[in-house]
Amino acid sequence: MDFSLDYFKKQVERLEDNFLGKFHKRIEPIQKFMSYYKCALMEIETKFKVLDEEFSFLHERNPIDNIKTRIKDFESIRKKLRRKKISPSINSIEQNIHDIAGIRIICPFIDDIYMLADCLAAQDDIKVLERKDYIANPKENGYRSLHLIVEIPIFLHNEKRLVKVEVQLRTIAMEFWANLEHRLHYKKEMDEKISKELSVELTDCAEVIANLDIKMKNIHDRIENKSTQNVQMKKN
Ligand code: 0O2
């Protein structure tokens, strides 16, 4: 028997190679699967940027203030699988989890949200699978946004794949509220009484913010009408 240091080193290297080989084999299909969602996000982000560009050319203002994209992390996917009692296979994840790819479109005004959602839905390569209007029907805590689940094609070297993307559209004010509410939601170590008080305050703030969105829109419309009148006056 060879019990030399060299012999043990070689055995360890063999085990490491074996482990890495198996790990690579298992992780590769997952990486490939996740990359489809990255591609779908690139496609849909471009669609929104094109709409923003065209609108700004036609109306001299941008209907999109900011765009954020994210791929759901493995931990959140795992939690969702457990919560929804979904089996952890690539197929069932693809069928049942619709928000692996998420894009958030932040707009100055509520009208921009509906205009952009309608423009996206009208595109012939987009299929809207689900639409939840939390602006018309806010959640009990005051959460407001328009959510769409859409299916978008991505074109790979040898195939076309349909990929689901969650689109969230909200105003700057709604985003401000949702970010703070999200922080409260994840502060697990907070005293329960304080947490409840803050939730109530936040629900009140959601109303204030909804009114602010309406007021800002009215002011904007008046500014726009006024400038149209000015143009007409100048022409006369
Ligand atoms: P993350 O990290 O943003 O992805 P489901 O998606 O099926 O689990 P549901 O309730 O049918 O659940 O989905 P819904 O209502 O369309 O909401 C999904 C996403 O909207 C959430 O994603 C949040 O991003 C956002 N959202 C919904 N409700 C609230 C809310 O009350 N407060 C805030 N701040 N955000 C909300 P995730 O998966 O929770 O997290």
Side-chain angles (χ1 to χ4, degrees), residues 15 27 29-30 36 52 68 80 87 97 126-127 145 153 156 171 184 192 215 217:
L15 282 173
I27 204 80
I30 299 174
Y36 299 148
D52 188 56
K68 295 177 182 172
K80 199 161 189 173
S87 67
I97 306 225
I126 288 278
K127 188 171 173 190
S145 284
L156 303 167
T171 61
L184 176 66
E192 207 179 314
K215 279 190 181 170
K217 173 72 175 75

mmCIF file of all heavy atoms in Angstrom, residues 15 27 29-30 36 52 68 80 87 97 126-127 145 153 156 171 184 192 215 217:
data_model
loop_
_atom_site.group_PDB
_atom_site.id
_atom_site.type_symbol
_atom_site.label_atom_id
_atom_site.label_comp_id
_atom_site.label_asym_id
_atom_site.label_seq_id
_atom_site.Cartn_x
_atom_site.Cartn_y
_atom_site.Cartn_z
ATOM 1 N N LEU A 15 -11.072 13.261 -6.128
ATOM 2 C CA LEU A 15 -12.391 13.513 -5.526
ATOM 3 C C LEU A 15 -12.906 14.905 -5.910
ATOM 4 O O LEU A 15 -14.082 15.072 -6.236
ATOM 5 C CB LEU A 15 -12.303 13.430 -3.992
ATOM 6 C CG LEU A 15 -12.263 12.032 -3.418
ATOM 7 C CD1 LEU A 15 -11.994 12.073 -1.920
ATOM 8 C CD2 LEU A 15 -13.574 11.305 -3.681
ATOM 9 N N ILE A 27 -25.392 22.106 -12.535
ATOM 10 C CA ILE A 27 -25.623 23.555 -12.508
ATOM 11 C C ILE A 27 -25.828 24.112 -13.924
ATOM 12 O O ILE A 27 -26.532 25.094 -14.110
ATOM 13 C CB ILE A 27 -24.462 24.279 -11.755
ATOM 14 C CG1 ILE A 27 -24.929 25.628 -11.205
ATOM 15 C CG2 ILE A 27 -23.225 24.474 -12.591
ATOM 16 C CD1 ILE A 27 -25.704 25.544 -9.950
ATOM 17 N N PRO A 29 -27.594 23.161 -16.698
ATOM 18 C CA PRO A 29 -28.955 23.384 -17.212
ATOM 19 C C PRO A 29 -29.680 24.510 -16.470
ATOM 20 O O PRO A 29 -30.491 25.224 -17.059
ATOM 21 C CB PRO A 29 -29.673 22.053 -16.968
ATOM 22 C CG PRO A 29 -28.684 21.121 -16.412
ATOM 23 C CD PRO A 29 -27.391 21.817 -16.198
ATOM 24 N N ILE A 30 -29.355 24.687 -15.181
ATOM 25 C CA ILE A 30 -30.003 25.761 -14.404
ATOM 26 C C ILE A 30 -29.528 27.122 -14.913
ATOM 27 O O ILE A 30 -30.322 28.033 -15.114
ATOM 28 C CB ILE A 30 -29.706 25.610 -12.888
ATOM 29 C CG1 ILE A 30 -30.251 24.264 -12.404
ATOM 30 C CG2 ILE A 30 -30.322 26.749 -12.085
ATOM 31 C CD1 ILE A 30 -29.909 23.916 -10.984
ATOM 32 N N TYR A 36 -32.346 32.351 -20.164
ATOM 33 C CA TYR A 36 -33.510 32.677 -21.005
ATOM 34 C C TYR A 36 -34.246 33.891 -20.421
ATOM 35 O O TYR A 36 -34.738 34.752 -21.151
ATOM 36 C CB TYR A 36 -34.490 31.499 -21.086
ATOM 37 C CG TYR A 36 -33.912 30.242 -21.690
ATOM 38 C CD1 TYR A 36 -34.343 28.988 -21.274
ATOM 39 C CD2 TYR A 36 -32.945 30.301 -22.689
ATOM 40 C CE1 TYR A 36 -33.823 27.821 -21.823
ATOM 41 C CE2 TYR A 36 -32.421 29.141 -23.241
ATOM 42 C CZ TYR A 36 -32.861 27.906 -22.806
ATOM 43 O OH TYR A 36 -32.344 26.765 -23.348
ATOM 44 N N ASP A 52 -40.636 54.846 -24.927
ATOM 45 C CA ASP A 52 -40.251 56.082 -24.237
ATOM 46 C C ASP A 52 -39.640 57.073 -25.237
ATOM 47 O O ASP A 52 -39.952 58.259 -25.241
ATOM 48 C CB ASP A 52 -39.253 55.741 -23.125
ATOM 49 C CG ASP A 52 -38.958 56.934 -22.242
ATOM 50 O OD1 ASP A 52 -39.919 57.512 -21.689
ATOM 51 O OD2 ASP A 52 -37.779 57.299 -22.102
ATOM 52 N N LYS A 68 -36.313 49.317 -13.811
ATOM 53 C CA LYS A 68 -35.478 48.408 -13.008
ATOM 54 C C LYS A 68 -35.781 46.979 -13.438
ATOM 55 O O LYS A 68 -36.953 46.641 -13.656
ATOM 56 C CB LYS A 68 -35.816 48.543 -11.517
ATOM 57 C CG LYS A 68 -35.477 49.900 -10.936
ATOM 58 C CD LYS A 68 -35.910 49.976 -9.476
ATOM 59 C CE LYS A 68 -35.605 51.349 -8.917
ATOM 60 N NZ LYS A 68 -36.172 51.544 -7.592
ATOM 61 N N LYS A 80 -40.754 30.381 -2.581
ATOM 62 C CA LYS A 80 -42.030 30.388 -3.314
ATOM 63 C C LYS A 80 -42.477 28.966 -3.663
ATOM 64 O O LYS A 80 -43.662 28.649 -3.589
ATOM 65 C CB LYS A 80 -41.886 31.232 -4.581
ATOM 66 C CG LYS A 80 -43.195 31.670 -5.149
ATOM 67 C CD LYS A 80 -43.016 32.847 -6.073
ATOM 68 C CE LYS A 80 -44.347 33.410 -6.464
ATOM 69 N NZ LYS A 80 -44.227 34.646 -7.212
ATOM 70 N N SER A 87 -43.310 21.341 -7.091
ATOM 71 C CA SER A 87 -42.132 20.477 -7.095
ATOM 72 C C SER A 87 -40.939 21.226 -7.698
ATOM 73 O O SER A 87 -41.104 21.995 -8.658
ATOM 74 C CB SER A 87 -42.408 19.187 -7.863
ATOM 75 O OG SER A 87 -42.584 19.499 -9.209
ATOM 76 N N ILE A 97 -43.983 29.412 -11.808
ATOM 77 C CA ILE A 97 -43.452 30.655 -11.229
ATOM 78 C C ILE A 97 -43.321 31.673 -12.353
ATOM 79 O O ILE A 97 -42.531 31.475 -13.268
ATOM 80 C CB ILE A 97 -42.112 30.414 -10.510
ATOM 81 C CG1 ILE A 97 -42.325 29.294 -9.505
ATOM 82 C CG2 ILE A 97 -41.587 31.707 -9.879
ATOM 83 C CD1 ILE A 97 -41.784 29.457 -8.175
ATOM 84 N N ILE A 126 -46.325 39.949 -28.234
ATOM 85 C CA ILE A 126 -46.523 39.904 -26.783
ATOM 86 C C ILE A 126 -47.888 39.296 -26.474
ATOM 87 O O ILE A 126 -48.898 39.664 -27.095
ATOM 88 C CB ILE A 126 -46.468 41.345 -26.190
ATOM 89 C CG1 ILE A 126 -45.041 41.876 -26.201
ATOM 90 C CG2 ILE A 126 -47.074 41.420 -24.795
ATOM 91 C CD1 ILE A 126 -44.178 41.433 -25.056
ATOM 92 N N LYS A 127 -47.897 38.385 -25.492
ATOM 93 C CA LYS A 127 -49.185 37.836 -25.058
ATOM 94 C C LYS A 127 -49.356 38.167 -23.576
ATOM 95 O O LYS A 127 -48.486 37.815 -22.765
ATOM 96 C CB LYS A 127 -49.159 36.320 -25.269
ATOM 97 C CG LYS A 127 -50.488 35.670 -25.047
ATOM 98 C CD LYS A 127 -50.401 34.226 -25.497
ATOM 99 C CE LYS A 127 -51.658 33.476 -25.134
ATOM 100 N NZ LYS A 127 -51.488 32.038 -25.344
ATOM 101 N N SER A 145 -50.136 49.502 -7.903
ATOM 102 C CA SER A 145 -49.280 49.261 -9.084
ATOM 103 C C SER A 145 -50.134 48.511 -10.101
ATOM 104 O O SER A 145 -51.136 47.916 -9.724
ATOM 105 C CB SER A 145 -48.088 48.350 -8.764
ATOM 106 O OG SER A 145 -47.091 49.011 -8.059
ATOM 107 N N PRO A 153 -41.284 36.321 -26.907
ATOM 108 C CA PRO A 153 -40.371 35.362 -27.551
ATOM 109 C C PRO A 153 -38.912 35.829 -27.470
ATOM 110 O O PRO A 153 -38.634 37.025 -27.570
ATOM 111 C CB PRO A 153 -40.841 35.344 -29.009
ATOM 112 C CG PRO A 153 -41.495 36.653 -29.218
ATOM 113 C CD PRO A 153 -42.004 37.143 -27.886
ATOM 114 N N LEU A 156 -33.096 32.262 -30.119
ATOM 115 C CA LEU A 156 -31.756 31.718 -29.870
ATOM 116 C C LEU A 156 -31.201 31.187 -31.202
ATOM 117 O O LEU A 156 -31.895 31.250 -32.218
ATOM 118 C CB LEU A 156 -31.856 30.618 -28.812
ATOM 119 C CG LEU A 156 -32.501 31.104 -27.500
ATOM 120 C CD1 LEU A 156 -32.874 29.950 -26.611
ATOM 121 C CD2 LEU A 156 -31.576 32.068 -26.773
ATOM 122 N N THR A 171 -46.233 54.667 -10.406
ATOM 123 C CA THR A 171 -45.736 56.046 -10.453
ATOM 124 C C THR A 171 -44.536 56.187 -9.518
ATOM 125 O O THR A 171 -44.275 55.298 -8.689
ATOM 126 C CB THR A 171 -46.817 57.056 -10.018
ATOM 127 O OG1 THR A 171 -47.180 56.757 -8.668
ATOM 128 C CG2 THR A 171 -48.030 57.031 -10.916
ATOM 129 N N LEU A 184 -40.288 47.716 5.759
ATOM 130 C CA LEU A 184 -40.983 47.390 7.007
ATOM 131 C C LEU A 184 -41.312 45.891 7.044
ATOM 132 O O LEU A 184 -41.138 45.222 8.058
ATOM 133 C CB LEU A 184 -42.275 48.224 7.123
ATOM 134 C CG LEU A 184 -43.145 47.910 8.337
ATOM 135 C CD1 LEU A 184 -42.431 48.295 9.632
ATOM 136 C CD2 LEU A 184 -44.489 48.637 8.259
ATOM 137 N N GLU A 192 -43.607 44.122 17.611
ATOM 138 C CA GLU A 192 -44.840 43.897 16.850
ATOM 139 C C GLU A 192 -45.787 45.096 16.904
ATOM 140 O O GLU A 192 -46.419 45.459 15.902
ATOM 141 C CB GLU A 192 -45.552 42.660 17.408
ATOM 142 C CG GLU A 192 -46.407 41.984 16.365
ATOM 143 C CD GLU A 192 -47.077 40.744 16.919
ATOM 144 O OE1 GLU A 192 -46.387 39.937 17.592
ATOM 145 O OE2 GLU A 192 -48.275 40.611 16.708
ATOM 146 N N LYS A 215 -53.387 65.035 -8.022
ATOM 147 C CA LYS A 215 -53.151 66.491 -8.056
ATOM 148 C C LYS A 215 -52.035 66.854 -9.038
ATOM 149 O O LYS A 215 -52.139 67.816 -9.803
ATOM 150 C CB LYS A 215 -52.774 66.988 -6.654
ATOM 151 C CG LYS A 215 -53.968 67.207 -5.761
ATOM 152 C CD LYS A 215 -53.546 67.924 -4.489
ATOM 153 C CE LYS A 215 -54.739 68.127 -3.579
ATOM 154 N NZ LYS A 215 -54.363 68.604 -2.262
ATOM 155 N N LYS A 217 -51.083 65.244 -11.614
ATOM 156 C CA LYS A 217 -51.567 65.034 -12.981
ATOM 157 C C LYS A 217 -52.413 66.222 -13.423
ATOM 158 O O LYS A 217 -52.289 66.709 -14.552
ATOM 159 C CB LYS A 217 -52.368 63.721 -13.023
ATOM 160 C CG LYS A 217 -53.063 63.445 -14.328
ATOM 161 C CD LYS A 217 -52.067 63.069 -15.400
ATOM 162 C CE LYS A 217 -52.710 62.671 -16.679
ATOM 163 N NZ LYS A 217 -53.257 63.760 -17.473
#
